[in-house]
Amino acid sequence: MNDIEQIKKITQEKVIQFIKGNPRLYTKYDAQRIISIVESGTIPDVYSEELAREVLDELGLIPDRYNIYIDFLKLIEEIYGIEDKNILEVGGGCLPRLASRINLEQTKGTITVYDPRLSLEYSNEKLALKRQNVTIDTDVKGIDLIIGLMPCKGAEALIRLATKNNIDFIVWLCEGGPHGDYFDFYEDEHEWRGSIILEAENQVKKQNMGILKQKIISKYPHNYPIIYNKRKED
């Protein structure tokens, strides 16, 4: 057995043990999906699937060089800083791993996570967990920064909420969900992302929030853009 096969075997065993040891953390379908992904996926591709990625990070099984939470957190720190920021995360997932990592780095700030998918069995007294979607009317009193790691169409609500309230934001876009269906007038994900970026650019300019910037972390297979507002230096 080579090193890659050994890593995969250990990973599978630990994930299965975690799932079985926390039977109420996931629905039966999601639990089976996570195990299936880990068993059939290849390293490092398996780190790209959200449900499996959350568990793997929770268990410390993702090498730093492949860890999207670490890379996104470093970028947020570089652009805005997090130590004393009150942060709202949109689409934190079932296990809010990004928020948990942010909390460990903070000295004075807070982190609030919005996602209806947050597991009812997950609790963390250091995080404010909101098992609901963000809307343009969500209360953001005291919030300094709004973030999102591939929140799909939650990116639209995130940008509208941030620009309406003149709050800094950063969001790593993704494919955005289904396209071309009767309930979605976008033909494909590229058209959807282009529309999101254009709206964000216009609103940032309108609200005097500086300029909209983009960044791509090219080592990940999807190459989705990260967009954020950069205010003018005083």
Side-chain angles (χ1 to χ4, degrees):
M1 183 180 293
N2 61 36
D3 290 344
I4 295 297
E5 290 173 339
Q6 183 67 23
I7 290 172
K8 186 174 180 180
K9 183 176 184 297
I10 293 172
T11 298
Q12 291 172 354
E13 291 173 350
K14 289 187 175 181
V15 169
I16 291 172
Q17 183 179 10
F18 176 81
I19 295 295
K20 289 183 176 179
N22 297 274
R24 299 179 62 187
L25 195 59
Y26 294 99
T27 65
K28 184 178 180 179
Y29 172 81
D30 284 344
Q32 291 175 339
R33 176 171 169 75
I34 292 168
I35 292 172
S36 176
I37 289 167
V38 173
E39 287 181 338
S40 62
T42 58
I43 304 296
D45 290 345
V46 69
Y47 304 143
S48 297
E49 206 287 330
E50 182 183 18
L51 279 175
R53 182 177 65 221
E54 291 172 357
V55 176
L56 292 170
D57 189 59
E58 177 81 14
L59 297 174
L61 295 173
I62 305 180
D64 287 357
R65 67 185 181 278
Y66 295 131
N67 196 311
I68 199 170
Y69 302 113
I70 291 176
D71 285 329
F72 194 38
L73 177 51
K74 285 181 179 178
L75 184 61
I76 297 171
E77 288 182 304
E78 176 186 321
I79 298 170
Y80 299 111
I82 63 170
E83 288 188 1
D84 59 352
K85 292 285 194 304
N86 295 320
I87 301 173
L88 186 156
E89 182 186 5
V90 175
C94 185
L95 296 181
R97 292 304 306 151
L98 177 62
S100 296
R101 283 183 171 274
I102 288 173
N103 177 259
L104 291 175
E105 299 289 330
Q106 288 183 318
T107 54
K108 297 180 182 178
T110 63
I111 177 77
T112 302
V113 187
Y114 277 79
D115 197 321
R117 301 170 301 164
L118 280 164
S119 173
L120 294 175
E121 293 299 309
Y122 180 86
S123 64
N124 185 328
E125 62 183 14
K126 296 181 179 180
L127 307 181
L129 304 177
K130 306 290 186 179
R131 294 180 172 90
Q132 60 195 73
N133 285 315
V134 155
T135 73
I136 196 169
D137 297 317
T138 294
D139 183 6
V140 290
K141 183 178 181 181
I143 295 296
D144 303 304
L145 177 65
I146 302 179
I147 67 174
L149 174 58
M150 301 184 185
C152 290
K153 292 190 176 182
E156 300 175 32
L158 184 159
I159 291 166
R160 290 168 185 161
L161 180 64
T163 54
K164 174 188 175 183
N165 293 279
N166 207 283
I167 297 173
D168 289 334
F169 69 90
I170 179 168
V171 55
W172 196 328
L173 298 176
C174 61
E175 80 285 350
H179 298 284
D181 293 326
Y182 71 92
F183 53 82
D184 187 339
F185 60 84
Y186 294 109
E187 291 297 327
D188 55 41
E189 63 181 75
H190 302 289
E191 184 180 353
W192 175 79
R193 282 197 299 274
S195 175
I196 290 293
I197 292 170
L198 180 60
E199 178 183 4
E201 190 172 39
N202 289 338
Q203 290 302 315
V204 164
K205 182 178 180 180
K206 180 180 178 181
Q207 299 298 330
N208 295 314
M209 296 172 64
I211 60 174
L212 187 77
K213 303 199 74 173
Q214 296 187 46
K215 184 177 179 64
I216 290 178
I217 300 180
S218 58
K219 68 180 179 180
Y220 293 103
H222 41 65
N223 281 336
Y224 297 133
I226 300 166
I227 62 174
Y228 60 95
N229 74 298
K230 178 66 174 176
R231 296 183 189 267
K232 296 177 181 179
E233 300 293 337
D234 294 331

